DNA sequence: TCTGGGGTCCTAGGACCC
DNA sequence: TCTGGGGTCCTAGGACCC
């Protein structure tokens, strides 16, 4: 190589090849894989939640939609098979699906339980297959080994790969080349593009942009002028310029931990609302301890019947994942934000500014000494709970939230009584 | 007392995703 | 989709500092 060549950074910008794989009606797909007799039947999951979480294509054809109350499904569509969610199995199948992709691809981003991206760029030569053949192999192996239907997209960017995998569903395999991207985008409503939600779609609609092609045809300067950075990225990606990297670092750290629950009917009952928050604080702290994370602050919120948020942000004097500490601070704020006569439908807690491996420093006022005692207790409780394989111990302030759940569950209430202990 | 210009850090809130 | 639960990222604006 001559000096001039090496100087002029002769990095040929090779187009990337990105694969996106998306499970078809994943939860229901797993249920069918577990029990093939269900194939071809209208099936929904979500029995335990009281609303439809996932549904088979046959169920969709009947007019059932996600979020529909289970009682309505029972009443209006008695032929439908209603199943409780089996999250363990979904995770298991998900892992197996990603493992199949990893047989061919090193760089895999697990985007959600039923979706991943894979970086195929340059793998055609070593694998001795075309990119399309690699995708076909992956698809066939998932189909045959897991009895699972998936749709795959192949394109030069993540955003286009998402468009592609969505193009033919279920059981599709679609390639979008940069040359033909515009033709595809003509038939895609702008709100269907990954990263463009209802707010931005509406804003764009008002400016006459209704299809992804309309957006594609705009000048980048125009995009910059009226939208923010993420939308510039989307525009570039639609044009085949890969900006978004495949993020294969496996996800073990969280930057926040959230627990929320809605209930029906909405209520103003202070004791009940507080016990819900109490449970959320306990559950979120438990999760934080499990991942060895400690929040520096946290927020509590109430959502009104009309979907209005009221939140309170609380700074911890010293980082802690002991619920007792958070509870005492949260209680004051709860008193502040709870308004008489307002009906609430949801409560929630978010742990924020999570630090890892926190070792409490002693301070002059001994507040950390207090925290340490709680920490010791919780460590012991966590060990105990792990041994029994289920949660056995809650604080007294949480009791009525648990009782409420038992009421709703009906048959579980005996079980719950036997295995729960309140401090 | 008033006047600049420019940098960093933090926060609240908005928007999005599955 | 009249709306479940769990997340992430970006940005405008304020505080504070030369």
């Amino acid at each position: 190589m001559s000096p001039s060549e090496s100087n002029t950074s002769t990095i040929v910008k090779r187009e990337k090849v990105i694969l996106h794989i998306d499970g078809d009606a994943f939860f229901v797909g797993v249920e069918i894989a577990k029990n093939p007799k269900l194939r071809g039947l209208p099936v929904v999951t979500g029995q335990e939640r009281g609303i439809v979480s996932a549904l088979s294509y046959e169920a969709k054809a009947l007019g059932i939609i996600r979020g529909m109350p289970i009682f309505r499904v029972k009443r209006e569509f008695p032929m439908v098979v209603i199943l409780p969610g089996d999250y363990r199995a979904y995770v298991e199948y998900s892992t197996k699906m990603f493992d199949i992709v990893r047989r061919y691809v090193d760089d895999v981003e697990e985007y959600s339980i039923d979706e991943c991206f894979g970086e195929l760029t340059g793998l055609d030569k070593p694998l001795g297959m075309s990119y399309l053949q690699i995708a076909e192999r992956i698809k066939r192996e998932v189909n045959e080994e897991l009895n699972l239907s998936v749709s795959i997209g192949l394109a030069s960017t993540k955003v286009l790969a998402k468009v592609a995998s969505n193009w033919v569903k279920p059981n599709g395999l679609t390639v979008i080349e940069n040359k033909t991207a515009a033709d595809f985008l003509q038939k895609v409503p702008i709100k269907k593009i990954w990263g463009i939600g209802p707010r931005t779609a509406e804003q764009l609609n008002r400016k006459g942009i209704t299809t992804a092609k309309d957006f594609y045809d705009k000048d980048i300067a125009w995009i910059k002028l009226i939208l923010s950075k993420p939308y510039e990225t989307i525009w570039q990606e639609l044009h085949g310029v890969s900006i978004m990297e495949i993020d294969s670092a496996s996800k073990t750290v969280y930057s926040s931990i959230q627990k929320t629950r809605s209930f029906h009917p909405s209520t103003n009952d202070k004791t009940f609302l507080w016990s819900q928050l109490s449970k959320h604080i306990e559950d979120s702290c438990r999760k934080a301890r499990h991942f060895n994370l400690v929040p520096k602050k946290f927020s509590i919120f109430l959502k009104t019947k009309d979907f209005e948020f009221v939140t309170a942000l609380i700074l911890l004097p010293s980082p802690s994942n002991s619920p007792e500490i958070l509870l005492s601070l949260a209680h004051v704020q709860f008193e502040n934000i709870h308004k008489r006569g307002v009906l609430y439908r949801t409560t929630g807690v978010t742990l924020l500014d999570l630090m890892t491996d926190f070792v409490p420093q002693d301070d002059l006022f001994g507040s950390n000494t207090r925290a340490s005692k709680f920490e010791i207790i919780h460590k012991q409780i966590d060990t105990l709970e792990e041994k029994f394989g289920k949660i056995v111990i809650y604080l007294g302030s949480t009791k009525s939230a648990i009782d409420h759940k038992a009421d709703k569950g009906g048959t579980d209430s005996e079980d719950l009584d036997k295995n729960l202990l309140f401090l």
Side-chain angles (χ1 to χ4, degrees):
Chain A
M1 189 190 287
S2 76
S4 66
E5 264 178 331
S6 62
N7 273 340
T8 48
S9 72
T10 45
I11 306 157
V12 182
K13 253 235 157 162
R14 182 170 45 176
E15 232 174 64
K16 283 193 190 175
V17 180
I18 289 169
L19 170 142
H20 180 247
I21 175 168
D22 196 355
D24 299 321
F26 188 70
F27 290 179
V28 167
V30 172
E31 295 298 343
I32 293 169
K34 280 162 59 188
N35 178 9
K37 284 182 189 155
L38 297 173
R39 194 173 297 281
L41 300 178
V43 178
V44 307
T45 71
Q47 187 176 40
E48 79 290 353
R49 289 196 350 193
I51 57 161
V52 174
S53 296
L55 60 162
S56 68
Y57 289 85
E58 291 81 2
K60 197 177 280 176
L62 292 174
I64 297 170
I65 54 169
R66 271 184 62 192
M68 185 181 276
I70 293 292
F71 74 83
R72 254 193 79 189
V73 176
K74 276 186 190 158
R75 195 180 58 203
E76 295 173 33
F77 311 95
M79 70 297 278
V80 171
V81 180
I82 300 167
L83 301 169
D86 179 359
Y87 211 75
R88 276 232 172 92
Y90 306 153
V91 170
E92 194 184 306
Y93 274 79
S94 170
T95 307
K96 286 181 179 164
M97 179 169 87
F98 298 147
D99 284 347
I100 289 175
V101 180
R102 287 203 180 84
R103 287 175 191 166
Y104 303 93
V105 189
D106 289 327
D107 216 355
V108 175
E109 173 180 342
E110 297 180 9
Y111 181 69
S112 73
I113 192 161
D114 71 331
E115 274 181 55
C116 71
F117 292 97
E119 173 84 66
L120 262 51
T121 319
L123 293 181
D124 50 345
K125 296 264 161 54
L127 291 174
M129 290 185 267
S130 70
Y131 293 119
L132 182 60
Q133 284 172 329
I134 299 171
E136 282 167 348
R137 281 279 279 273
I138 291 172
K139 183 158 178 291
R140 181 155 28 99
E141 288 174 19
V142 173
N143 289 162
E144 288 174 2
E145 295 176 31
L146 304 181
N147 282 310
L148 223 46
S149 163
V150 293
S151 296
I152 293 185
L154 222 47
S156 64
T157 69
K158 287 168 86 171
V159 173
L160 283 176
K162 286 272 271 185
V163 173
S165 65
N166 218 352
W167 193 256
V168 180
K169 234 178 184 312
N171 207 28
L173 171 48
T174 306
V175 180
I176 297 183
E177 292 182 75
N178 287 354
K179 288 174 282 189
T180 59
D183 302 332
F184 279 90
L185 298 179
Q186 195 139 31
K187 292 170 200 128
V188 180
I190 187 63
K191 65 165 186 283
K192 290 285 218 176
I193 296 296
W194 186 38
I196 302 204
R199 294 317 254 266
T200 308
E202 200 190 316
Q203 187 189 348
L204 289 169
N205 284 170
R206 278 195 304 259
K207 302 203 185 294
I209 294 171
T210 56
T211 70
K213 172 85 166 23
D214 296 337
F215 185 81
Y216 176 99
D217 283 339
K218 280 288 174 188
D219 215 81
I220 183 73
W222 186 86
I223 306 289
K224 279 188 187 176
L225 195 66
I226 65 157
L227 296 171
S228 62
K229 209 162 169 185
Y231 302 94
E232 282 175 46
T233 303
I234 292 169
W235 187 92
Q236 305 256 46
E237 291 249 329
L238 288 175
H239 281 259
V241 181
S242 174
I243 308 288
M244 302 168 78
E245 302 282 327
I246 303 280
D247 182 10
S248 56
S250 68
K251 194 109 180 107
T252 46
V253 282
Y254 294 91
S255 52
S256 69
I257 290 173
Q258 189 172 322
K259 294 284 170 189
T260 68
R261 184 74 67 204
S262 301
F263 26 83
H264 222 77
S266 298
T267 179
N268 184 255
D269 183 341
K270 226 167 157 180
T271 316
F272 170 75
L273 292 167
W274 174 245
S275 75
Q276 291 285 319
L277 280 171
S278 171
K279 181 171 191 307
H280 292 141
I281 288 174
E282 286 204 71
D283 289 342
S284 57
C285 284
R286 197 184 328 268
K287 182 166 175 180
R289 289 196 303 273
H290 184 252
F291 288 97
N292 223 335
L293 294 168
V294 191
K296 285 200 265 189
K297 56 188 188 187
F298 69 105
S299 69
I300 59 170
F301 75 81
L302 302 176
K303 186 156 54 166
T304 71
K305 187 167 167 282
D306 302 321
F307 288 85
E308 271 167 32
F309 270 92
V310 208
T311 85
L313 183 69
I314 300 153
L315 273 77
L316 289 153
S318 129
S320 167
N321 55 23
S322 300
E324 293 85 351
I325 307 281
L326 308 226
L327 277 167
S328 63
L329 291 162
H331 194 78
V332 185
Q333 295 301 320
F334 171 66
E335 293 287 340
N336 283 339
I337 62 175
H338 176 270
K339 297 283 174 253
R340 285 237 296 264
V342 177
L343 295 177
Y344 298 100
R345 59 157 16 249
T346 310
T347 67
V349 167
T350 310
L351 307 186
L352 297 156
D353 280 10
L354 264 19
M355 304 164 46
T356 176
D357 280 331
F358 172 76
V359 183
Q361 309 286 312
D362 277 327
D363 67 27
L364 292 173
F365 306 99
S367 62
N368 281 331
T369 321
R370 187 162 165 253
S372 309
K373 278 179 199 153
F374 284 126
E375 271 159 35
I376 293 162
I377 293 169
H378 282 295
K379 202 161 279 176
Q380 290 170 347
I381 294 175
D382 289 344
T383 313
L384 190 67
E385 290 179 345
E386 254 163 57
K387 207 159 128 187
F388 281 84
K390 56 162 72 174
I391 293 156
V392 287
I393 296 166
Y394 273 106
L395 295 172
S397 50
T398 296
K399 189 168 189 305
S400 88
I402 304 277
D403 291 346
H404 180 79
K405 202 178 167 194
D407 289 348
K408 290 251 161 174
T411 53
D412 309 337
S413 66
E414 268 183 49
D415 266 8
L416 281 166
D417 285 346
K418 262 186 276 179
N419 294 316
L420 287 174
L421 185 67
F422 294 95
L423 294 179

